[in-house]
Amino acid sequence: MVRTFHLADDPARRAPARVWAWPPFALLLVLALTGCGPKTPIEDLDLFNDWAEVDLPRPPEPLARELNLLIWTGYIPDEIFDRFTTTYGVRFKLEYYSTNEELYTRLREPGTSYDLVMPSGYMVERLIREGRLLPIEPRQIPNFNRVDSRFFGLEFDPGLHYSLPMFYYCTGIAMNMRFVGGMPLTWEALSTAAEQPLVVGRRSMLDEMRVALGTVLIMLGESPNTTDPDAIARARDFLIETIQSGGLRFENDDMWTSLSLQQSLIAISWSGAAGLALEHNGMVRFVIPQGKCIVGADSFAIPSSARAPGTARFFLNYLLIPQITGALTNYCYYANTSSASRAYIRREISNGPGYMLPLRDNIVFLSDVGDSLSLYIDAWEQVQATPQPKLNMVPLPANESLR
């Protein structure tokens, strides 16, 4: 089912609409940024360097001594956790995962108990359906009203009764304009780019089962939420053929590094990862091809087995303080769901790839496919088992561009 997501209704999103309207595709070429090295510590961020200016709330009740979190890597810097611990005396036990399916598996392990998890939309939908989440209780999170109203219409949790969406993003094609000729106007560009000698062996795809297969399904004219075995098999075969014909790496947390170091010259990437890569390599560009495009949101949720749900809600209230929410985006380069944080976000980030979205009619969210998930798992296992070919990769020229 195709989902509508009315992000464009918010006045804060209207300014870039002139970019999305360029026919026949949605395209933004972001100005080159300079910079190198690791992510900036939160104390050194231009718009958030004085904790004394942040109005930290008082807890309404005694807090637990520890919070056990199972979250994505790369979203929250250590300094955010450290300040909460220093102020409130709550320690954190942090565990990370790299796919929604890994999150689901770990939640089901006997004897495990997490106070906060961070599933994507379709996984939120599944966890709600299986009764694995506690109500989020917005009335116990005073800053919940910082979440923009347009996110309350998300179909995986209408009204946000069980989840708090924190970051959103879209898929697109990230490319190095120095070495890749032409502009990737369609999703097929990932495949056709292998005709360029420098691209062979330097292509990447997101290492997420539903996203990778879903993007290919869109390319094949199918829904990324299809339950048709034949369509899923065709997507599987396309990825296997792409691997065999010119190599295709699957990357997640290291996608931005691969792009910035020119280990990958063209990739199907998340918008936020492309923004971070651009910060470290001014030749990176991010393009939203024409047609349907997967948009996602990563949300905080409280598992039904949580031992400290009240403290978990208080921590979410802390994260929704505008200065802190803005600092999170300055750290991870992903768009957040609070327009109140915009004043604290670096302009090159809020005007960059991380805040790009496709035209409203082209937005598609992944949804829970129920028992048909086994079809995706079987297809993905075959893709992952396909060996990378031995390739004679052409060295990148030192002082030339391929046009």
Side-chain angles (χ1 to χ4, degrees):
M1 177 177 63
V2 176
R3 299 180 174 193
T4 57
F5 187 55
H6 300 295
L7 286 169
D9 291 343
D10 178 45
R13 294 301 313 158
R14 287 177 187 159
R18 63 185 184 279
V19 177
W20 305 340
W22 288 355
F25 52 89
L27 167 65
L28 176 63
L29 294 184
V30 185
L31 295 176
L33 304 175
T34 60
C36 58
K39 295 178 182 178
T40 307
I42 196 168
E43 294 93 338
D44 298 333
L45 296 178
D46 293 341
L47 297 175
F48 187 40
N49 53 22
D50 191 351
W51 279 97
E53 296 179 1
V54 182
D55 185 16
L56 296 178
R58 293 183 179 181
E61 58 185 33
L63 300 176
R65 293 184 177 181
E66 184 177 80
L67 278 177
N68 192 2
L69 273 59
L70 179 60
I71 58 177
W72 295 99
T73 60
Y75 271 145
I76 306 177
D78 291 342
E79 291 82 359
I80 294 292
F81 294 117
D82 293 344
R83 177 59 59 170
F84 192 85
T85 298
T86 300
T87 304
Y88 300 110
V90 178
R91 298 185 301 272
F92 290 91
K93 181 180 179 183
L94 302 174
E95 297 182 32
Y96 298 97
Y97 59 91
S98 57
T99 70
N100 281 285
E101 286 66 39
E102 180 185 351
L103 162 66
Y104 182 76
T105 297
R106 292 169 70 174
L107 273 179
R108 297 183 64 191
E109 291 175 354
T112 59
S113 177
Y114 298 101
D115 299 304
L116 273 178
V117 293
M118 205 175 183
S120 303
Y122 73 92
M123 187 55 67
V124 171
E125 186 176 9
R126 181 176 187 178
L127 295 175
I128 293 173
R129 175 170 59 83
E130 296 181 356
R132 298 185 184 275
L133 299 180
L134 293 176
I136 200 72
E137 301 289 0
R139 287 179 293 182
Q140 297 183 28
I141 307 174
N143 285 326
F144 203 94
N145 60 11
R146 303 285 189 182
V147 177
D148 294 349
S149 60
R150 64 191 189 276
F151 292 96
F152 284 75
L154 295 172
E155 291 188 17
F156 60 77
D157 183 15
L160 302 183
H161 298 291
Y162 292 91
S163 63
L164 190 164
M166 181 62 73
F167 300 101
Y168 66 93
Y169 42 79
C170 71
T171 51
I173 297 179
M175 57 171 282
N176 188 303
M177 65 178 294
R178 181 183 179 197
F179 299 114
V180 179
M183 191 59 61
L185 307 183
T186 66
W187 294 109
E188 287 82 354
L190 184 71
S191 177
T192 58
E195 299 170 3
Q196 302 179 38
L198 292 179
V199 175
V200 174
R202 297 186 177 96
R203 295 182 296 177
S204 297
M205 167 75 84
L206 287 163
D207 190 13
E208 295 187 47
M209 176 183 71
R210 289 292 310 278
V211 178
L213 289 169
T215 300
V216 175
L217 285 165
I218 289 174
M219 192 185 308
L220 298 175
E222 302 284 348
S223 165
N225 300 310
T226 185
T227 57
D228 179 3
D230 291 336
I232 297 170
R234 291 199 304 274
R236 173 204 64 200
D237 294 344
F238 180 93
L239 285 174
I240 291 174
E241 182 181 348
T242 302
I243 294 171
Q244 295 172 337
S245 65
L248 180 66
R249 293 199 303 268
F250 293 92
E251 302 176 312
N252 247 359
D253 299 334
D254 51 354
M255 175 71 78
W256 74 270
T257 306
S258 178
L259 287 165
S260 63
L261 296 179
Q262 300 175 166
Q263 296 166 350
S264 179
L265 298 182
I266 188 168
I268 291 181
S269 168
W270 291 125
S271 48
L276 184 55
L278 171 60
E279 174 73 16
H280 297 280
N281 186 327
M283 292 293 104
V284 172
R285 296 294 183 267
F286 182 70
V287 179
I288 299 177
Q290 59 188 356
K292 301 297 182 182
C293 175
I294 294 174
V295 173
D298 287 341
S299 303
F300 283 105
I302 302 173
S304 55
S305 59
R307 295 173 181 171
T311 303
R313 294 185 182 100
F314 185 73
F315 178 65
L316 294 181
N317 190 62
Y318 163 84
L319 292 182
L320 286 172
I321 295 170
Q323 294 97 321
I324 294 178
T325 311
L328 295 179
T329 290
N330 286 336
Y331 175 76
C332 71
Y333 284 68
Y334 279 84
N336 69 66
T337 59
S338 170
S339 58
S341 71
R342 282 296 189 92
Y344 305 98
I345 298 174
R346 290 162 51 197
R347 184 173 299 178
E348 61 266 32
I349 296 177
S350 60
N351 290 339
Y355 275 84
M356 288 176 64
L357 283 171
L359 295 166
R360 182 194 305 173
D361 290 343
N362 289 336
I363 289 175
V364 184
F365 271 79
L366 296 178
S367 62
D368 177 24
V369 293
D371 293 339
S372 296
L373 183 65
S374 61
L375 299 174
Y376 286 87
I377 293 174
D378 290 344
W380 188 241
E381 288 177 348
Q382 294 179 61
V383 170
Q384 295 284 286
T386 303
Q388 296 288 338
K390 295 182 178 180
L391 302 168
N392 294 320
M393 295 174 59
V394 179
L396 296 178
N399 299 306
E400 298 181 18
S401 298
L402 177 64
R403 298 297 182 188

